[in-house]
């Protein structure tokens, strides 16, 4: 079945640590890939998106993601996290409206 | 510009009842999608409406239905509620009819079924 997998359910990091959240999808066609973030008490909002072109995309707040077609992956990265990055992160394949189950990130000051 | 609004924000119902949730998209947005969010399941897609037509549908039973009005406002109805329907129901709107556009999410309606 087509799906989006986020293998890390809960991640706890100290401030200034590097972050990488995994996202793998199973869909054979062209994909429109998104990362959304949900800060505590706030709406889901877009971090970044990929349709085509440069596989390394940059989003808001210093986040970036790399599309690796051969690995069906779209991992989210940030070189140095801040306490304010504490949130839940969702990967999505939007041409099929598939969202992953989310990764809860806690950053310890 | 006002964001996506959803009413009511909280609902408590009992098994067997039905419920209607409402979503007002951002002005000018013509696509409205609905999702069910539960802990451990993430967001699961219910359906998407564009110009009053259901264009995409997720894998939910027929108890879940929706519609969109000419002003792009949308409603979602769940009949014969079950305990497992307890969840946060999110509505999202986007500008155009393609899937390259960002979806803007509302705050959700928290439904509790007793």
């Amino acid at each position: 079945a087509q799906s989006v997998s986020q293998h890390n359910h809960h991640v706890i990091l100290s401030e200034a640590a590097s972050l990488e959240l995994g996202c793998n999808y199973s869909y054979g066609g062209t994909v429109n890939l998104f990362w959304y973030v949900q800060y505590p008490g706030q709406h889901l909002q877009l971090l970044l998106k990929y349709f085509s072109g440069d596989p390394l995309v940059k989003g808001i707040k210093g986040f970036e993601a790399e599309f690796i077609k051969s690995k069906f992956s779209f991992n989210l990265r940030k070189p140095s996290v801040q306490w304010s990055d504490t949130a839940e992160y969702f990967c999505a394949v939007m041409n099929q409206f598939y969202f992953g189950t989310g990764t809860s990130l806690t950053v310890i000051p | 510009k006002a964001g996506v609004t959803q009413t009511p924000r909280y609902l408590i119902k009992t098994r067997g009842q039905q419920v209607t949730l409402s979503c007002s998209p951002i002005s000018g947005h013509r696509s409205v999608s609905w999702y069910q969010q539960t802990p451990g399941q993430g967001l699961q897609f219910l359906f998407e409406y564009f110009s009053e037509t259901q264009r995409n549908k997720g894998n939910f039973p027929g108890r879940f239905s929706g519609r969109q009005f000419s002003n792009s406002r949308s409603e979602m109805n769940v009949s014969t509620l079950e305990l497992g329907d307890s969840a946060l129901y999110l509505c999202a709107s986007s500008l155009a009819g393609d899937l390259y556009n960002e979806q803007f999410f509302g705050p959700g309606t928290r439904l509790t079924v007793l």
Side-chain angles (χ1 to χ4, degrees):
Chain A
Q2 296 165 358
S3 66
V4 178
S5 298
Q6 292 183 243
H7 308 294
N8 316 104
H9 298 295
H10 299 280
V11 174
I12 301 174
L13 294 173
S14 297
E15 272 193 321
S18 64
L19 169 73
E20 181 160 4
L21 301 183
C23 173
N24 288 91
Y25 61 92
S26 59
Y27 179 67
T30 303
V31 287
N32 300 332
L33 296 162
F34 289 66
W35 275 97
Y36 280 88
V37 61
Q38 189 170 33
Y39 297 104
Q42 295 188 27
H43 307 181
L44 274 157
Q45 59 185 277
L46 182 69
L47 265 182
L48 47 77
K49 58 186 177 183
Y50 171 81
F51 304 133
S52 62
D54 188 345
L56 184 63
V57 292
K58 296 191 183 300
I60 61 171
K61 305 188 180 185
F63 285 91
E64 64 179 31
E66 185 175 13
F67 170 59
I68 304 179
K69 188 175 181 179
S70 61
K71 294 185 178 180
F72 296 87
S73 71
F74 190 55
N75 292 354
L76 181 71
R77 300 195 293 245
K78 186 170 184 178
S80 176
V81 294
Q82 301 172 317
W83 175 78
S84 58
D85 294 324
T86 294
E88 189 144 17
Y89 294 81
F90 294 91
C91 178
V93 177
M94 287 314 296
N95 34 344
Q96 293 295 313
F97 296 93
Y98 289 135
F99 276 74
T101 53
T103 296
S104 174
L105 171 66
T106 300
V107 179
I108 301 170
Chain B
K1 205 180 224 185
V4 177
T5 57
Q6 293 187 245
T7 56
R9 292 293 309 279
Y10 301 91
L11 265 179
I12 299 176
K13 293 285 187 180
T14 55
R15 278 184 302 173
Q17 287 188 308
Q18 76 164 20
V19 67
T20 299
L21 312 182
S22 181
C23 171
S24 292
I26 292 172
S27 178
H29 286 196
R30 295 169 63 194
S31 171
V32 173
S33 302
W34 288 90
Y35 297 85
Q36 182 194 67
Q37 184 178 13
T38 54
Q41 293 287 321
L43 279 75
Q44 294 185 284
F45 172 66
L46 284 152
F47 27 66
E48 183 237 357
Y49 285 87
F50 180 76
S51 293
E52 302 178 66
T53 301
Q54 185 182 89
R55 195 166 55 166
N56 291 283
K57 189 177 187 303
N59 203 23
F60 277 78
R63 299 186 296 108
F64 292 81
S65 63
R67 58 178 177 168
Q68 186 181 33
F69 302 95
S70 57
N71 61 358
S72 293
R73 191 177 70 83
S74 177
E75 286 183 348
M76 189 192 94
N77 184 274
V78 188
S79 63
T80 321
L81 284 166
E82 300 177 0
L83 294 178
D85 296 333
S86 294
L88 181 66
Y89 290 87
L90 294 171
C91 166
S93 74
S94 65
L95 185 60
D98 61 63
L99 296 172
Y100 299 94
N101 284 279
E102 173 185 356
Q103 291 199 335
F104 292 83
F105 285 83
T109 293
R110 173 76 61 185
L111 172 65
T112 302
V113 182
L114 303 175

